[in-house]
């Protein structure tokens, strides 16, 4: 599996396409030498190539897409025509396969009524106390066809060492079902504890369903464990199983992190099921990540999000009445919570994660605190952050001090220079790697989930998260962020990369939307 992962990685495929481009130019030179007195062959070749370029360029220009998603294709066509055309054919129309589209439509049609909150007054606390935040909830209600719920209790775990013991304890008390969906599952201390509980519960008759991303877990989770889970009564699947074919579909990974236990407890946030997230092992210094625990009716949305991709992956619909129609969601607190999902077209026609961040940023009156492991923002996000800083909002952004991907980190350094010039305060997390993905506005409303500030999360991956409002968990998040800022190094306005790195990053940034 590792060999296939390497052989069919984007870099290797890009290298092969570049070789094809070079081969085409060599062939063209050969044609010129062989037919120097016969211009017909050259004319046909040239006209055909130009015609293909024009056709593909028109397709790009007329795509119903963002401008910063079109520019790289135009540049590719101008610089390397044959390579650009081949890349467009294989990778541009990424998204769901026809079979997956049919399955998704069936799911949406089946669950439309379940997505609606019968309590139509759930947004009233926001309208009364913070009308500036209403737009964020209205947008998600419209774009995702999903409602929020009041009456929830929310607990924030500022590190993985707090999250894993709590989830493991909750798993031990499962009586009806366990739903687990994670980008990465890694064999080790944490998974071994979790797996023993899952096997016990499955043998006791609890419905246990597990899904993990095939490529995300390719090097950490042996295939034999999947077979063993199924032997032990666990309904387990790999999302979008990797196959060695040229297709942009395999760039659409399941980056979500969801765990739901009965109708009582739901978890989401940035942690995968791997030992580094609990700092049982050391990778890139101290690993800072976070999760939230939801108790109350909002976990209904997490159940819906889980079955979206679970059923999409296996190709048939589940018995939703067992999981959704039972009136078992007890009110546990006062928090308003709206869990939601995002993903590539046609799962979503809008870039929901990006627009939700923009809506939150534009609603800020005093402070914006953001934590993200990667910083390759879209043009719209960059402008939103810049405008917020220019209108006097205190914007503080945290990125890692020790990176997990050096090229991506170089791009982050390049991008943060522009933000710093605009007045954004950027910090690098000195103890190590902050993998936390959160946005906190005015200590009143917050996002926490799986969405990074990069094109992979904002455009290509299936993601999830939750907007939380009116809960002490937001204050806990703010305090944790301030603590992280105090441990970090603020990047000064005098910081800059050398000319070669700036030139290199400018080139890479042009094609970042496609990566």
């Amino acid at each position: 599996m590792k060999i296939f992962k390497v052989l069919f990685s984007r870099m290797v495929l890009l290298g092969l396409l570049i070789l094809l481009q070079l081969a085409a130019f060599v062939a063209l030179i050969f044609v010129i030498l062989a037919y120097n007195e016969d211009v017909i062959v050259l004319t046909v070749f040239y006209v055909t190539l130009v015609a293909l370029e024009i056709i593909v360029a028109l397709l790009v220009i007329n795509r119903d897409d963002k401008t910063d998603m079109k520019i790289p294709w135009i540049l590719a066509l101008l610089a390397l025509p044959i390579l650009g055309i081949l890349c467009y054919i294989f990778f541009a129309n990424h998204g769901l396969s026809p079979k997956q589209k049919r399955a998704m439509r069936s799911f949406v049609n089946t669950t439309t009524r379940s997505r609606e909150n019968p309590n139509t007054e759930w947004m009233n606390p926001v309208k009364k106390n913070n009308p500036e935040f209403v737009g964020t909830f209205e947008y998600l209600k419209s774009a995702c066809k999903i409602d929020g719920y009041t009456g929830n209790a929310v607990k924030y775990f500022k590190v993985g060492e707090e999250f894993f013991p709590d989830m493991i304890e909750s798993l031990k008390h499962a009586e009806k079902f366990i739903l687990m969906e994670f980008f990465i599952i890694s064999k080790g201390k944490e998974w071994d504890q979790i797996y023993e509980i899952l096997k016990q519960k499955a043998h006791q008759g609890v419905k246990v369903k597990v899904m993990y991303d095939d490529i995300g877990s390719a090097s950490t989770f042996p295939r034999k464990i999947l077979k063993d889970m199924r032997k032990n009564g666990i309904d387990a699947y790999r999302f979008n199983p990797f196959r060695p074919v040229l297709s942009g579909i395999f760039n659409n990974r399941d980056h979500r992190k969801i765990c739901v236990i009965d109708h009582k407890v739901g978890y989401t946030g940035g942690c995968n099921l791997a030992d580094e997230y609990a700092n049982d092992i050391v990778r890139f210094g101290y690993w800072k990540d976070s999760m939230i625990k939801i108790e109350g009716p909002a976990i209904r949305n997490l159940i819906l999000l889980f079955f979206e991709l679970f059923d999409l992956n296996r190709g048939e619909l589940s018995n939703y009445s067992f999981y959704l129609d039972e009136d078992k969601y007890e009110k546990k607190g006062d928090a308003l919570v709206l869990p939601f999902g995002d993903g590539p077209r046609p799962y979503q026609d809008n870039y929901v994660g990006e627009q939700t961040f923009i809506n939150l940023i534009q609603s800020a009156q005093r402070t914006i605190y953001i934590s993200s492991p990667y910083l390759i923002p879209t043009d719209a996000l960059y402008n939103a952050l810049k405008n917020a800083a220019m209108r006097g909002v205190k914007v503080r952004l945290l990125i890692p001090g020790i990176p997990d991907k050096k090229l991506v980190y170089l791009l982050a350094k390049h991008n943060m220079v522009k933000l710093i010039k605009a007045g954004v305060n950027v910090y690098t997390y000195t103890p190590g790697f902050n993998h936390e993905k959160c946005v906190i506005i005015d200590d009143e409303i917050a996002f926490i989930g799986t969405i990074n500030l990069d094109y992979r999360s904002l455009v290509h991956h299936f993601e999830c998260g939750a907007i939380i409002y009116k809960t002490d968990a937001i204050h806990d998040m703010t305090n944790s962020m301030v603590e992280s800022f105090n441990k970090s190094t603020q990047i000064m306005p005098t910081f800059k990369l050398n000319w070669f790195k700036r030139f290199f990053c400018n080139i890479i940034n042009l094609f970042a939307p496609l990566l």
Side-chain angles (χ1 to χ4, degrees), residues 292-319:
I292 56 169
K293 174 183 179 180
I294 304 169
E295 295 177 279
I299 65 173
R300 185 186 186 89
N301 286 10
L302 292 179
I303 295 173
L304 279 165
L305 291 174
F306 173 85
F307 280 109
E308 278 182 349
L309 298 193
F310 188 80
D311 287 352
L312 177 68
N313 192 67
R314 70 181 194 140
E316 60 180 283
L317 299 176
S318 297
N319 177 14

Side-chain angles (χ1 to χ4, degrees), residues 386-405:
K386 173 184 173 182
N387 293 336
M390 291 178 67
R391 69 173 188 267
V393 177
K394 186 176 183 179
V395 185
R396 304 176 79 180
L397 173 63
L398 184 69
I399 63 173
I402 301 175
D404 64 336
K405 301 177 180 68

Side-chain angles (χ1 to χ4, degrees), residues 12-275:
V12 172
L13 293 174
L14 183 61
L16 290 174
L17 290 171
I18 290 174
L19 289 176
L20 284 173
Q21 176 77 60
L22 293 174
F25 282 123
V26 171
L28 179 59
I29 293 172
F30 174 79
V31 169
I32 292 173
L33 294 175
Y35 297 94
N36 57 349
E37 294 181 356
D38 188 355
V39 297
I40 296 177
V41 174
L42 287 175
T43 303
V44 171
F45 178 85
Y46 177 77
V47 170
T48 302
L49 183 60
V50 171
L52 286 173
E53 279 191 278
I54 292 173
I55 291 170
V56 175
L58 288 172
L59 290 173
V60 172
I61 292 170
N62 289 285
R63 284 174 68 93
D64 180 19
D65 214 334
K66 295 157 54 69
T67 301
D68 48 352
M69 295 295 293
K70 297 178 182 180
I71 292 174
W73 289 118
I74 298 296
L75 291 173
L77 290 169
L78 290 173
L80 298 169
I82 297 175
L83 173 62
I85 291 170
L86 289 173
C87 284
Y88 188 83
I89 292 171
F90 286 122
F91 300 114
N93 296 310
H94 60 78
L96 307 182
S97 67
K99 181 179 179 181
Q100 289 174 320
K101 291 177 185 177
R102 290 192 296 271
M104 179 58 70
R105 281 194 291 268
S106 296
F107 174 86
V108 171
N109 291 336
T110 302
T111 61
T112 296
R113 184 172 297 177
S114 299
R115 291 167 176 267
E116 299 174 354
N117 183 352
N119 177 14
T120 58
E121 299 179 351
W122 62 269
M123 215 185 303
N124 283 354
V126 189
K127 293 178 179 178
K128 179 180 178 181
N129 300 309
N130 296 97
E132 67 272 19
F133 301 144
V134 169
T136 296
F137 290 104
E138 290 283 10
Y139 172 78
L140 289 170
K141 178 180 173 65
S142 176
C144 300
K145 304 296 187 292
I146 201 165
D147 286 326
Y149 291 85
T150 54
N152 301 281
V154 180
K155 183 175 182 180
Y156 170 72
F157 303 102
K158 67 178 182 179
V159 290
E161 297 94 307
E162 296 178 357
F163 157 66
F164 279 100
D166 193 279
M167 184 181 71
I168 288 170
E169 187 62 29
S170 295
L171 289 170
K172 292 177 181 177
H173 293 91
E175 297 177 348
K176 295 182 178 180
F177 62 85
I178 296 171
L179 311 176
M180 302 189 81
E181 176 184 358
F182 287 86
F183 179 60
I184 295 173
I185 299 180
S186 179
K187 195 175 185 304
K189 176 184 173 182
E190 302 302 332
W191 170 250
D192 290 346
Q193 295 180 73
I194 292 168
Y195 189 29
E196 286 303 314
I197 298 171
L198 297 182
K199 288 190 290 186
Q200 292 173 13
K201 291 299 177 180
H203 292 158
Q204 293 169 9
V206 175
K207 296 180 184 296
V208 181
K209 299 182 183 294
V210 176
M211 185 169 67
Y212 60 92
D213 189 80
D214 191 39
I215 292 181
S217 303
S219 61
T220 63
F221 203 61
R223 191 73 56 83
K224 63 182 180 181
I225 300 180
L226 176 67
K227 297 178 180 179
D228 189 67
M229 281 196 286
R230 290 173 173 172
K231 287 180 181 179
N232 282 282
I234 299 171
D235 198 9
Y237 288 89
R238 296 172 293 136
F239 178 79
N240 213 357
F242 178 79
R243 296 181 180 86
V245 295
L246 284 171
S247 174
I249 289 175
F250 297 107
N251 200 26
N252 305 142
R253 308 316 312 171
D254 179 8
H255 195 237
R256 295 178 177 180
K257 289 92 178 169
I258 294 173
C259 176
V260 181
I261 301 158
D262 296 335
H263 298 89
K264 298 178 179 179
V265 179
Y267 297 88
T268 192
C271 288
N272 285 297
L273 302 186
D275 286 352

Side-chain angles (χ1 to χ4, degrees), residues 360-378:
L360 287 170
I361 291 167
Q362 291 177 339
S363 70
Q365 313 256 325
R366 302 182 303 278
T367 59
I368 300 171
Y369 294 165
I370 299 176
S371 175
S372 177
Y374 312 116
L375 183 60
I376 311 176
T378 63

Side-chain angles (χ1 to χ4, degrees), residues 329-350:
Y329 304 97
E330 299 179 13
K331 291 190 174 183
K332 294 288 185 177
D334 297 323
L336 167 56
V337 182
L338 198 165
F340 68 95
D342 192 9
R345 297 182 177 190
Y347 171 77
Q348 285 287 359
D349 291 329
N350 306 285

